[in-house]
Amino acid sequence: MTSTDIQAADVVAARVGELTEIFERGLQEKLGVGASLGIRLEAAGAGFTRYYLDPNPATINAMFTVHGGVLATLMDTAMGSAVFTTLADGVAYTTLELKVNFIRSVALDGSRLTCEATAVHVGRRTATAQGRITDVNGKLIAHGSTTILVLQPQ
């Protein structure tokens, strides 16, 4: 293993630690999408995250299915976090563009939704990522992509 590999592993470990800390703090203080919608971080690594959501009454629309905005939020969270795992200390990000393709509706039946996201490209100014939401049986619920603005420290 080279020193560059070790440095990259250290960056990933630091970012994963930050993600975990942010979500745990949000749950304790009842802040953010984890507390309000029930979105939870399950796994993270270099350019990869997996989040899950157990649909609940706060996530439904007027047709009593999971609201598309909730699905988009789950995907945006996962894709942004996948990019975040690759960024150096002090570098921030924000979503520039979000594209979600909804494949099927989700009933409020207690079934868990999982979103896996991967960073596709991470540059100095922009990054892209893709994500997929599946149900407990592995059926595709939605897929999408994002363009992210990378905010270098000044």
Side-chain angles (χ1 to χ4, degrees):
M1 184 178 272
T2 68
S3 64
T4 302
D5 292 336
I6 293 169
Q7 288 172 338
D10 289 346
V11 167
V12 171
R15 296 299 80 78
V16 169
E18 286 179 58
L19 280 174
T20 303
E21 182 181 319
I22 289 166
F23 266 82
E24 287 177 5
R25 179 178 174 202
L27 292 174
Q28 291 171 357
E29 297 180 20
K30 297 185 179 8
L31 302 170
V33 296
S36 63
L37 297 174
I39 293 173
R40 301 288 192 266
L41 175 63
E42 184 175 331
F48 170 82
T49 60
R50 183 171 47 248
Y51 284 80
Y52 69 88
L53 168 70
D54 295 322
N56 61 70
T59 64
I60 63 172
N61 59 26
M63 272 85 52
F64 294 93
T65 60
V66 177
H67 193 285
V70 172
L71 297 173
T73 300
L74 173 61
M75 193 174 295
D76 184 49
T77 301
M79 292 187 297
S81 295
V83 168
F84 179 72
T85 65
T86 69
L87 300 178
D89 191 33
V91 178
Y93 70 95
T94 190
T95 301
L96 280 173
E97 177 265 342
L98 176 66
K99 167 78 166 101
V100 180
N101 297 288
F102 301 104
I103 305 303
R104 59 179 42 88
S105 63
V106 179
L108 187 62
D109 64 1
S111 295
R112 176 167 287 181
L113 300 176
T114 301
C115 183
E116 292 190 354
T118 55
V120 175
H121 165 77
V122 180
R124 181 163 170 70
R125 294 179 181 248
T126 61
T128 59
Q130 58 191 17
R132 295 172 51 91
I133 299 174
T134 55
D135 68 11
V136 71
N137 297 315
K139 285 190 174 182
L140 184 64
I141 302 301
H143 63 95
S145 61
T146 188
T147 303
I148 295 204
L149 178 63
V150 177
L151 303 166
Q152 299 292 335
Q154 296 185 5

